[in-house]
Amino acid sequence: MRYSKRVGSMQASPVRKLVPYATAAKKKGIKVYHLNIGQPDIKTPEGFMKAIREFDEDVLAYADSVGSDDLLDAMIKYYKSYDMEFNHEELLITNGGSEALLFAMMTLCNPGENILVPEPFYTNYNGFATCVDVEINPITTLAENGFHLPAKEEILARVDEKTRAILLSNPGNPTGAIYTLEEMKMLAEIAIEKDLWIISDEVYREFVYDGLKYTSFGNLENVQDRVIIVDSVSKRYSACGARIGSLACKNKDFIAQVLKLCQGRLCVPTLEMVGSAELYKTPKSYLEEVNKEYCHRRDVLYDAIMEIPGVVCEKPTGAFYMQVKLPVENAEDFVIFMLNEFSHNGATTMATPAENFYATPGLGRDEVRLAYILNADDLKAAAECMKYGLEAYKAAGHK
Amino acid sequence: MRYSKRVGSMQASPVRKLVPYATAAKKKGIKVYHLNIGQPDIKTPEGFMKAIREFDEDVLAYADSVGSDDLLDAMIKYYKSYDMEFNHEELLITNGGSEALLFAMMTLCNPGENILVPEPFYTNYNGFATCVDVEINPITTLAENGFHLPAKEEILARVDEKTRAILLSNPGNPTGAIYTLEEMKMLAEIAIEKDLWIISDEVYREFVYDGLKYTSFGNLENVQDRVIIVDSVSKRYSACGARIGSLACKNKDFIAQVLKLCQGRLCVPTLEMVGSAELYKTPKSYLEEVNKEYCHRRDVLYDAIMEIPGVVCEKPTGAFYMQVKLPVENAEDFVIFMLNEFSHNGATTMATPAENFYATPGLGRDEVRLAYILNADDLKAAAECMKYGLEAYKAAGHK
């Protein structure tokens, strides 16, 4: 019995593939520093569980397909604080940012059409695209250049008659890059010239460091009819398990199309919206504290990583990842070596091999993504493991 | 700016289209008996909220993509009580039965392939199919025949080289029909002869009346390599707002394919699984009580509806719907009339026009679906409104 090409050709999770190696290392008594996952250790604001515990209806009924009024109202206020004006007809609550991205792709693209995406990109972009027969059309960016965008001509050269949208994450996962206002204006020009949508994944909006001014695509006036903003409570409020995301778009026609998909799956969970409405009411001071903590962690990990001879990494300015080029030929082989054959002071480090973050074959083979989601001491120890691990890897004859 | 054909061609919710009429009726002070929705009024078992209130983790973290161990364990025990043996490698938790159906279609069908579905069917089957470029290939069933299946030859005649699966709900939404063991064996034979999958939507498994013996497709030994069982807590435990569904399949290759889709959207909500695990531990006596209540409601509504001259409806034996043929040419027009121009003792009844439950053009135009989800007195009053409403509709010159 055969399966569809779309699902058959999807990769199994590249992270999951390596989990057995980590499990085996732990069985040997080795401590594994997990820099491979994006699960924050920051406490979820207490308002989330408080509101849910107080929920007191006899029947856990369907919610409205568009999302609950309370959550929509809270999000509208949140956006207003960033000078973005949305109303109830311009917002849809989704099952995580994941469903928002899937629905956007389904709605904009016929099978065989493509979406421009700066690579390296969040690996699940590829998964969502594949399962709805959409192609990722990559714009290559480089570690040496801090993963900033190439010149306009280079991007225009990638656009063909089947290109429907530009999708990007800003702040970037896995790069930690923040696009400059000039880069954003260039993308906006391209979108207008080539009649493309812009899907802006801004789930790390508050994770911007070094006093950089962050601009949302929701703030660029001239493209509001073609900008779709994807958001999520997962990272912002350390509530990954709530699976509450959203789509915001000033183009009501687009929202009306996606609404049909929302109605098809009826609604997102009632209680998660009760809790998430409280999250969006969390005082900004919470987000500022979290920002400080991640900024500190970034500094600690970056300084420690840059002490390793041969690594290439521009200091990232956002999100909680860094994409690092290692002095090895095959980063996945190195990650497996670290779990399988190496330990330092009884510990080792697990990174994510980055090849799957690229659509262009062969790129990223010498890169890993590191998530700085551990405390400073653990991050230092993890980087030290990487350093000695690389020495041991080379000493064992690997290239 | 254009949208994809798949989403562009989706219908907006046929139920939602009529909501403004109901709202307007209520504004005029008219009580509306909502027989148009499948939202039960039965209390959700208390274990659900109790378990969630006791959840006490600092960080609301991602769950496993396959679902939580606790929920999977509870479901395995539940299935065992129906003589179905599943293990952790044969079960996946999904965002409602909706996602289970969408993932099954995505995994089995290339764009342009088709799935056999007895019509009338749950209208969202059409939505899921459209948005992944799959076609519904209808097997017509008739009100006069209690919506039972036609002869094997008639079904075989619908199978073409692009047919990949048979999808059915049993007990049936909107028909309330329960397939006989002979019908199921016939479908199993067809599936084997034509190499088709069977997607069995059994979310109403416990809603079977009149002492009928219910057989799951999970109990037919000879097709276990090609049977996919869709389940949900929504109706079973009156927990529609939890959005917890599942896929069960003894074919581990199928599960491995769908797992890639599950990994792509990361996980379903952590807390909803905490609560749903308790739902699946609810004593069977709860389900028996609920069954008794719905059986009573069915009797009340059916007896009252059959007093209306000209209606055609075989007494349904399952779920909580009846699909009723009315003595009118256009049931949607009648439903709008009931909301717009009619009241009896200050009340009216809202039914669901059934044309959208058919894929064959023109069928079902004179049918409505009634959900018996109100208490017995309200059901009697609702049927009385239908009766006088039909008289008034005819008296006003409608056909």
Short mmCIF file of all heavy atoms in Angstrom, two decimals, chain A residues 281-334:
data_model
loop_
_atom_site.label_atom_id
_atom_site.label_comp_id
_atom_site.label_asym_id
_atom_site.label_seq_id
_atom_site.Cartn_x
_atom_site.Cartn_y
_atom_site.Cartn_z
N LYS A 281 -2.30 39.79 28.58
CA LYS A 281 -2.46 40.91 29.52
C LYS A 281 -1.26 41.03 30.46
O LYS A 281 -1.23 41.92 31.32
CB LYS A 281 -3.74 40.73 30.33
CG LYS A 281 -5.03 40.75 29.51
CD LYS A 281 -6.25 40.38 30.37
CE LYS A 281 -7.47 40.05 29.51
NZ LYS A 281 -8.53 39.36 30.30
N THR A 282 -0.27 40.13 30.33
CA THR A 282 0.90 40.17 31.20
C THR A 282 1.61 41.52 31.05
O THR A 282 1.82 41.98 29.93
CB THR A 282 1.88 39.03 30.81
OG1 THR A 282 1.17 37.80 30.81
CG2 THR A 282 3.05 38.95 31.78
N PRO A 283 1.99 42.13 32.16
CA PRO A 283 2.68 43.42 32.06
C PRO A 283 3.96 43.32 31.21
O PRO A 283 4.64 42.28 31.24
CB PRO A 283 3.05 43.76 33.51
CG PRO A 283 2.15 42.93 34.35
CD PRO A 283 1.80 41.72 33.56
N LYS A 284 4.27 44.37 30.50
CA LYS A 284 5.46 44.39 29.64
C LYS A 284 6.74 44.12 30.44
O LYS A 284 7.73 43.65 29.89
CB LYS A 284 5.57 45.74 28.92
CG LYS A 284 4.68 45.88 27.68
CD LYS A 284 5.30 45.25 26.44
CE LYS A 284 4.33 45.03 25.30
NZ LYS A 284 4.01 46.23 24.54
N SER A 285 6.69 44.41 31.75
CA SER A 285 7.89 44.19 32.57
C SER A 285 8.32 42.72 32.54
O SER A 285 9.51 42.41 32.60
CB SER A 285 7.63 44.63 34.01
OG SER A 285 6.49 43.95 34.52
N TYR A 286 7.35 41.81 32.42
CA TYR A 286 7.69 40.40 32.31
C TYR A 286 8.56 40.16 31.08
O TYR A 286 9.61 39.52 31.13
CB TYR A 286 6.41 39.55 32.23
CG TYR A 286 6.63 38.09 31.86
CD1 TYR A 286 6.90 37.12 32.82
CD2 TYR A 286 6.56 37.68 30.52
CE1 TYR A 286 7.10 35.80 32.47
CE2 TYR A 286 6.77 36.36 30.16
CZ TYR A 286 7.04 35.42 31.13
OH TYR A 286 7.24 34.11 30.78
N LEU A 287 8.11 40.71 29.96
CA LEU A 287 8.85 40.51 28.71
C LEU A 287 10.23 41.16 28.76
O LEU A 287 11.20 40.64 28.22
CB LEU A 287 8.03 41.07 27.53
CG LEU A 287 6.71 40.34 27.27
CD1 LEU A 287 5.82 41.14 26.31
CD2 LEU A 287 6.95 38.94 26.71
N GLU A 288 10.31 42.28 29.48
CA GLU A 288 11.62 42.96 29.61
C GLU A 288 12.58 42.12 30.45
O GLU A 288 13.76 42.01 30.11
CB GLU A 288 11.41 44.35 30.23
CG GLU A 288 10.78 45.35 29.25
CD GLU A 288 10.07 46.53 29.94
OE1 GLU A 288 10.28 46.73 31.17
OE2 GLU A 288 9.29 47.20 29.25
N GLU A 289 12.05 41.52 31.51
CA GLU A 289 12.89 40.65 32.35
C GLU A 289 13.40 39.46 31.53
O GLU A 289 14.57 39.08 31.61
CB GLU A 289 12.07 40.11 33.55
CG GLU A 289 11.95 41.08 34.70
CD GLU A 289 13.31 41.53 35.21
OE1 GLU A 289 14.14 40.65 35.51
OE2 GLU A 289 13.53 42.76 35.29
N VAL A 290 12.50 38.86 30.77
CA VAL A 290 12.86 37.70 29.96
C VAL A 290 13.90 38.11 28.93
O VAL A 290 14.90 37.41 28.71
CB VAL A 290 11.60 37.11 29.27
CG1 VAL A 290 11.99 36.04 28.26
CG2 VAL A 290 10.64 36.54 30.32
N ASN A 291 13.71 39.27 28.34
CA ASN A 291 14.66 39.79 27.36
C ASN A 291 16.06 39.90 27.98
O ASN A 291 17.05 39.44 27.41
CB ASN A 291 14.17 41.15 26.85
CG ASN A 291 15.12 41.77 25.84
OD1 ASN A 291 16.25 42.11 26.18
ND2 ASN A 291 14.68 41.91 24.60
N LYS A 292 16.12 40.48 29.18
CA LYS A 292 17.42 40.65 29.87
C LYS A 292 18.10 39.30 30.08
O LYS A 292 19.30 39.14 29.86
CB LYS A 292 17.18 41.31 31.23
CG LYS A 292 17.55 42.78 31.27
CD LYS A 292 17.46 43.28 32.70
CE LYS A 292 16.65 44.58 32.71
NZ LYS A 292 16.21 44.96 34.05
N GLU A 293 17.30 38.34 30.52
CA GLU A 293 17.85 37.03 30.82
C GLU A 293 18.43 36.38 29.56
O GLU A 293 19.55 35.86 29.57
CB GLU A 293 16.75 36.14 31.43
CG GLU A 293 17.12 34.69 31.68
CD GLU A 293 18.26 34.51 32.69
OE1 GLU A 293 18.44 35.40 33.53
OE2 GLU A 293 18.97 33.48 32.59
N TYR A 294 17.68 36.43 28.46
CA TYR A 294 18.18 35.81 27.23
C TYR A 294 19.37 36.56 26.65
O TYR A 294 20.29 35.96 26.11
CB TYR A 294 17.07 35.71 26.17
CG TYR A 294 16.18 34.51 26.40
CD1 TYR A 294 14.85 34.66 26.77
CD2 TYR A 294 16.68 33.22 26.24
CE1 TYR A 294 14.04 33.57 26.99
CE2 TYR A 294 15.88 32.12 26.46
CZ TYR A 294 14.55 32.29 26.83
OH TYR A 294 13.76 31.20 27.05
N CYS A 295 19.35 37.87 26.82
CA CYS A 295 20.48 38.66 26.32
C CYS A 295 21.75 38.24 27.06
O CYS A 295 22.80 38.04 26.45
CB CYS A 295 20.18 40.15 26.52
SG CYS A 295 21.43 41.21 25.82
N HIS A 296 21.62 38.08 28.37
CA HIS A 296 22.77 37.63 29.16
C HIS A 296 23.23 36.24 28.70
O HIS A 296 24.42 35.99 28.52
CB HIS A 296 22.36 37.60 30.64
CG HIS A 296 23.39 37.03 31.56
ND1 HIS A 296 24.67 37.56 31.66
CD2 HIS A 296 23.37 35.95 32.39
CE1 HIS A 296 25.37 36.85 32.53
NE2 HIS A 296 24.61 35.87 32.99
N ARG A 297 22.28 35.36 28.49
CA ARG A 297 22.64 34.01 28.06
C ARG A 297 23.33 34.03 26.69
O ARG A 297 24.28 33.29 26.45
CB ARG A 297 21.37 33.14 27.96
CG ARG A 297 20.75 32.84 29.32
CD ARG A 297 19.45 32.08 29.14
NE ARG A 297 18.85 31.77 30.44
CZ ARG A 297 17.81 30.95 30.58
NH1 ARG A 297 17.26 30.37 29.52
NH2 ARG A 297 17.33 30.71 31.78
N ARG A 298 22.80 34.87 25.83
CA ARG A 298 23.43 34.98 24.51
C ARG A 298 24.89 35.40 24.66
O ARG A 298 25.79 34.82 24.05
CB ARG A 298 22.70 36.01 23.65
CG ARG A 298 23.36 36.15 22.29
CD ARG A 298 23.13 37.53 21.70
NE ARG A 298 23.55 38.61 22.60
CZ ARG A 298 23.59 39.88 22.25
NH1 ARG A 298 23.20 40.24 21.04
NH2 ARG A 298 23.97 40.80 23.11
N ASP A 299 25.11 36.42 25.50
CA ASP A 299 26.49 36.91 25.68
C ASP A 299 27.39 35.80 26.20
O ASP A 299 28.49 35.60 25.71
CB ASP A 299 26.49 38.09 26.66
CG ASP A 299 25.83 39.32 26.06
OD1 ASP A 299 25.71 39.38 24.81
OD2 ASP A 299 25.42 40.21 26.83
N VAL A 300 26.88 35.07 27.18
CA VAL A 300 27.69 34.00 27.79
C VAL A 300 28.00 32.94 26.74
O VAL A 300 29.17 32.53 26.57
CB VAL A 300 26.92 33.38 28.97
CG1 VAL A 300 27.57 32.07 29.40
CG2 VAL A 300 26.83 34.37 30.12
N LEU A 301 27.00 32.49 26.02
CA LEU A 301 27.24 31.40 25.06
C LEU A 301 28.10 31.90 23.90
O LEU A 301 29.03 31.21 23.46
CB LEU A 301 25.93 30.82 24.54
CG LEU A 301 26.10 29.63 23.60
CD1 LEU A 301 26.76 28.44 24.29
CD2 LEU A 301 24.74 29.18 23.00
N TYR A 302 27.80 33.10 23.43
CA TYR A 302 28.54 33.61 22.27
C TYR A 302 30.02 33.76 22.60
O TYR A 302 30.89 33.30 21.84
CB TYR A 302 27.96 34.95 21.80
CG TYR A 302 28.61 35.43 20.53
CD1 TYR A 302 28.35 34.82 19.31
CD2 TYR A 302 29.53 36.50 20.55
CE1 TYR A 302 28.96 35.26 18.14
CE2 TYR A 302 30.15 36.93 19.40
CZ TYR A 302 29.86 36.32 18.19
OH TYR A 302 30.47 36.73 17.04
N ASP A 303 30.32 34.37 23.75
CA ASP A 303 31.72 34.55 24.13
C ASP A 303 32.43 33.21 24.24
O ASP A 303 33.57 33.05 23.80
CB ASP A 303 31.81 35.31 25.47
CG ASP A 303 31.36 36.76 25.32
OD1 ASP A 303 31.21 37.21 24.16
OD2 ASP A 303 31.15 37.43 26.35
N ALA A 304 31.75 32.24 24.83
CA ALA A 304 32.37 30.93 25.02
C ALA A 304 32.57 30.21 23.68
O ALA A 304 33.60 29.57 23.45
CB ALA A 304 31.52 30.08 25.96
N ILE A 305 31.58 30.34 22.79
CA ILE A 305 31.67 29.66 21.49
C ILE A 305 32.79 30.27 20.64
O ILE A 305 33.51 29.57 19.94
CB ILE A 305 30.31 29.74 20.75
CG1 ILE A 305 29.28 28.83 21.41
CG2 ILE A 305 30.45 29.39 19.26
CD1 ILE A 305 29.56 27.35 21.30
N MET A 306 32.94 31.59 20.74
CA MET A 306 33.94 32.26 19.90
C MET A 306 35.37 31.95 20.35
O MET A 306 36.32 32.29 19.65
CB MET A 306 33.69 33.77 19.88
CG MET A 306 32.39 34.17 19.16
SD MET A 306 32.13 33.35 17.56
CE MET A 306 33.29 34.25 16.52
N GLU A 307 35.49 31.32 21.51
CA GLU A 307 36.84 30.90 21.93
C GLU A 307 37.26 29.61 21.23
O GLU A 307 38.40 29.17 21.36
CB GLU A 307 36.86 30.67 23.45
CG GLU A 307 36.94 31.99 24.20
CD GLU A 307 36.97 31.77 25.70
OE1 GLU A 307 37.27 30.63 26.15
OE2 GLU A 307 36.66 32.73 26.43
N ILE A 308 36.34 28.99 20.53
CA ILE A 308 36.67 27.74 19.83
C ILE A 308 37.32 28.10 18.50
O ILE A 308 36.74 28.84 17.71
CB ILE A 308 35.41 26.89 19.59
CG1 ILE A 308 34.70 26.61 20.92
CG2 ILE A 308 35.76 25.61 18.86
CD1 ILE A 308 33.37 25.87 20.77
N PRO A 309 38.50 27.60 18.24
CA PRO A 309 39.19 27.95 17.00
C PRO A 309 38.39 27.49 15.78
O PRO A 309 37.87 26.37 15.76
CB PRO A 309 40.52 27.19 17.08
CG PRO A 309 40.69 26.86 18.53
CD PRO A 309 39.32 26.72 19.10
N GLY A 310 38.27 28.36 14.79
CA GLY A 310 37.70 27.96 13.51
C GLY A 310 36.21 28.14 13.38
O GLY A 310 35.65 27.92 12.30
N VAL A 311 35.48 28.53 14.44
CA VAL A 311 34.03 28.72 14.29
C VAL A 311 33.74 30.06 13.64
O VAL A 311 34.51 31.02 13.78
CB VAL A 311 33.24 28.63 15.63
CG1 VAL A 311 33.54 27.34 16.35
CG2 VAL A 311 33.49 29.84 16.50
N VAL A 312 32.63 30.12 12.90
CA VAL A 312 32.20 31.36 12.27
C VAL A 312 30.79 31.67 12.76
O VAL A 312 29.88 30.84 12.62
CB VAL A 312 32.19 31.26 10.74
CG1 VAL A 312 31.67 32.57 10.12
CG2 VAL A 312 33.58 30.94 10.22
N CYS A 313 30.62 32.84 13.38
CA CYS A 313 29.29 33.24 13.83
C CYS A 313 29.29 34.73 14.10
O CYS A 313 30.06 35.21 14.91
CB CYS A 313 28.91 32.45 15.10
SG CYS A 313 27.27 32.85 15.72
N GLU A 314 28.46 35.46 13.36
CA GLU A 314 28.24 36.87 13.72
C GLU A 314 27.35 36.87 14.95
O GLU A 314 26.42 36.06 15.06
CB GLU A 314 27.50 37.59 12.57
CG GLU A 314 28.39 37.95 11.39
CD GLU A 314 29.34 39.08 11.72
OE1 GLU A 314 28.88 40.15 12.15
OE2 GLU A 314 30.56 38.85 11.58
N LYS A 315 27.61 37.78 15.86
CA LYS A 315 26.82 37.81 17.10
C LYS A 315 25.34 38.03 16.76
O LYS A 315 24.99 39.03 16.14
CB LYS A 315 27.31 38.94 17.99
CG LYS A 315 26.79 38.83 19.42
CD LYS A 315 27.50 39.83 20.33
CE LYS A 315 27.19 39.52 21.79
NZ LYS A 315 27.92 40.42 22.70
N PRO A 316 24.50 37.07 17.12
CA PRO A 316 23.07 37.23 16.80
C PRO A 316 22.45 38.30 17.68
O PRO A 316 22.90 38.53 18.81
CB PRO A 316 22.48 35.86 17.11
CG PRO A 316 23.39 35.28 18.14
CD PRO A 316 24.76 35.83 17.87
N THR A 317 21.41 38.95 17.18
CA THR A 317 20.81 40.06 17.94
C THR A 317 19.35 39.80 18.31
O THR A 317 18.66 40.69 18.81
CB THR A 317 20.89 41.36 17.11
OG1 THR A 317 20.33 41.11 15.82
CG2 THR A 317 22.31 41.84 16.96
N GLY A 318 18.86 38.57 18.04
CA GLY A 318 17.47 38.31 18.39
C GLY A 318 17.17 36.83 18.56
O GLY A 318 18.03 35.98 18.36
N ALA A 319 15.92 36.53 18.93
CA ALA A 319 15.44 35.17 19.20
C ALA A 319 16.31 34.54 20.28
O ALA A 319 16.93 35.25 21.08
CB ALA A 319 15.39 34.33 17.94
N PHE A 320 16.40 33.20 20.36
CA PHE A 320 17.35 32.61 21.32
C PHE A 320 18.15 31.48 20.69
O PHE A 320 18.36 30.45 21.30
CB PHE A 320 16.70 32.23 22.64
CG PHE A 320 15.38 31.51 22.61
CD1 PHE A 320 15.27 30.27 22.04
CD2 PHE A 320 14.25 32.09 23.21
CE1 PHE A 320 14.05 29.60 22.07
CE2 PHE A 320 13.03 31.43 23.22
CZ PHE A 320 12.93 30.17 22.64
N TYR A 321 18.55 31.76 19.45
CA TYR A 321 19.36 30.77 18.73
C TYR A 321 20.60 31.43 18.18
O TYR A 321 20.61 32.63 17.91
CB TYR A 321 18.57 30.21 17.55
CG TYR A 321 17.23 29.63 17.93
CD1 TYR A 321 16.06 30.35 17.73
CD2 TYR A 321 17.15 28.36 18.50
CE1 TYR A 321 14.82 29.83 18.08
CE2 TYR A 321 15.92 27.84 18.86
CZ TYR A 321 14.76 28.57 18.65
OH TYR A 321 13.55 28.05 19.01
N MET A 322 21.64 30.62 17.98
CA MET A 322 22.71 31.05 17.09
C MET A 322 23.04 29.92 16.13
O MET A 322 23.04 28.76 16.48
CB MET A 322 23.95 31.56 17.85
CG MET A 322 24.46 30.72 18.97
SD MET A 322 25.80 31.58 19.89
CE MET A 322 24.88 32.68 20.98
N GLN A 323 23.27 30.32 14.90
CA GLN A 323 23.60 29.38 13.84
C GLN A 323 25.10 29.49 13.65
O GLN A 323 25.61 30.56 13.30
CB GLN A 323 22.83 29.79 12.56
CG GLN A 323 23.11 28.98 11.34
CD GLN A 323 22.19 27.76 11.23
OE1 GLN A 323 21.38 27.48 12.13
NE2 GLN A 323 22.33 27.03 10.16
N VAL A 324 25.81 28.39 13.94
CA VAL A 324 27.27 28.44 14.02
C VAL A 324 27.90 27.53 12.97
O VAL A 324 27.53 26.36 12.85
CB VAL A 324 27.73 27.98 15.43
CG1 VAL A 324 29.24 28.04 15.55
CG2 VAL A 324 27.06 28.84 16.51
N LYS A 325 28.86 28.08 12.23
CA LYS A 325 29.61 27.28 11.27
C LYS A 325 30.81 26.67 12.00
O LYS A 325 31.58 27.39 12.64
CB LYS A 325 30.08 28.17 10.11
CG LYS A 325 30.73 27.40 9.00
CD LYS A 325 31.12 28.31 7.83
CE LYS A 325 29.96 28.46 6.87
NZ LYS A 325 30.40 28.89 5.53
N LEU A 326 30.93 25.36 11.94
CA LEU A 326 31.99 24.67 12.67
C LEU A 326 33.12 24.26 11.72
O LEU A 326 32.88 24.05 10.52
CB LEU A 326 31.43 23.41 13.34
CG LEU A 326 30.32 23.60 14.38
CD1 LEU A 326 29.84 22.24 14.89
CD2 LEU A 326 30.84 24.44 15.55
N PRO A 327 34.31 24.10 12.25
CA PRO A 327 35.44 23.67 11.40
C PRO A 327 35.41 22.16 11.16
O PRO A 327 36.40 21.47 11.45
CB PRO A 327 36.65 24.12 12.20
CG PRO A 327 36.21 24.03 13.62
CD PRO A 327 34.75 24.40 13.63
N VAL A 328 34.29 21.67 10.67
CA VAL A 328 34.16 20.24 10.36
C VAL A 328 33.46 20.13 9.00
O VAL A 328 32.82 21.08 8.55
CB VAL A 328 33.31 19.48 11.42
CG1 VAL A 328 33.93 19.58 12.80
CG2 VAL A 328 31.86 19.99 11.44
N GLU A 329 33.57 18.96 8.38
CA GLU A 329 32.91 18.79 7.08
C GLU A 329 31.45 18.41 7.24
O GLU A 329 30.60 18.77 6.43
CB GLU A 329 33.64 17.72 6.26
CG GLU A 329 34.92 18.24 5.66
CD GLU A 329 35.58 17.24 4.73
OE1 GLU A 329 35.05 16.10 4.57
OE2 GLU A 329 36.63 17.59 4.17
N ASN A 330 31.16 17.63 8.30
CA ASN A 330 29.82 17.09 8.46
C ASN A 330 29.36 17.29 9.90
O ASN A 330 29.72 16.53 10.80
CB ASN A 330 29.84 15.60 8.09
CG ASN A 330 28.46 14.98 8.14
OD1 ASN A 330 27.60 15.41 8.90
ND2 ASN A 330 28.25 13.96 7.34
N ALA A 331 28.55 18.32 10.11
CA ALA A 331 28.14 18.69 11.47
C ALA A 331 27.30 17.59 12.11
O ALA A 331 27.37 17.36 13.32
CB ALA A 331 27.39 20.01 11.46
N GLU A 332 26.48 16.90 11.31
CA GLU A 332 25.66 15.84 11.90
C GLU A 332 26.55 14.73 12.45
O GLU A 332 26.32 14.22 13.55
CB GLU A 332 24.68 15.27 10.87
CG GLU A 332 23.80 14.18 11.47
CD GLU A 332 22.75 13.66 10.50
OE1 GLU A 332 21.84 14.41 10.15
OE2 GLU A 332 22.85 12.48 10.08
N ASP A 333 27.58 14.39 11.68
CA ASP A 333 28.52 13.37 12.14
C ASP A 333 29.18 13.81 13.44
O ASP A 333 29.34 13.01 14.38
CB ASP A 333 29.57 13.15 11.04
CG ASP A 333 30.47 11.97 11.35
OD1 ASP A 333 29.94 10.85 11.44
OD2 ASP A 333 31.69 12.18 11.51
N PHE A 334 29.51 15.10 13.54
CA PHE A 334 30.11 15.62 14.76
C PHE A 334 29.12 15.56 15.93
O PHE A 334 29.48 15.18 17.05
CB PHE A 334 30.60 17.06 14.53
CG PHE A 334 31.02 17.76 15.79
CD1 PHE A 334 32.12 17.31 16.53
CD2 PHE A 334 30.30 18.86 16.26
CE1 PHE A 334 32.49 17.94 17.70
CE2 PHE A 334 30.67 19.49 17.45
CZ PHE A 334 31.77 19.04 18.16
#
